[in-house]
Amino acid sequence: MSNPQFLTGNYKEMLLEGLRNPDEAEQYINAALEEGDDTVLLLALRDVAEAYGISQTAPDQLLSQTDRSHFSDLIQILNALGLQLVFKRKVA
């Protein structure tokens, strides 16, 4: 029988490796956004930040799961207006 911790560790490292590709990161964040759950989106943003090595320097409040009322309000307003938020990679 496989060790679940070993499998989880492998998955997380494979995920982070894939998210280092900007196109993969963009698709991952947008897929999370389409779920319509701000917790899912914030977790995706955390994963991408971790993949890029900026999870320690990213503002705690932005990636916090405990204080996300402003973000939830924004999503509700956009939904009421029939609009959606989309993340797109910046072209230099």
Side-chain angles (χ1 to χ4, degrees):
M1 178 177 259
S2 298
N3 178 348
Q5 187 175 14
F6 175 76
L7 294 175
T8 303
N10 262 352
Y11 170 76
K12 181 71 170 193
E13 188 52 44
M14 287 175 31
L15 172 67
L16 295 178
E17 184 178 325
L19 293 176
R20 289 182 191 110
N21 175 319
D23 293 327
E24 296 269 339
E26 179 182 329
Q27 291 174 15
Y28 184 73
I29 291 171
N30 280 312
L33 182 63
E34 288 177 12
E35 289 293 316
D37 181 344
D38 57 334
T39 301
V40 173
L41 177 59
L42 291 174
L43 289 172
L45 289 170
R46 282 180 161 199
D47 287 342
V48 173
E50 185 177 345
Y52 278 83
I54 59 170
S55 60
Q56 298 301 328
T57 59
D60 289 338
Q61 190 173 17
L62 174 64
L63 298 179
S64 170
Q65 291 186 37
T66 57
D67 182 18
R68 47 182 205 259
S69 60
H70 297 296
F71 184 75
S72 293
D73 292 344
L74 172 64
I75 296 300
Q76 287 178 6
I77 291 167
L78 290 174
N79 285 337
L81 294 171
L83 299 173
Q84 70 181 31
L85 188 61
V86 176
F87 290 91
K88 187 173 179 182
R89 192 164 55 106
K90 221 180 195 182
V91 178

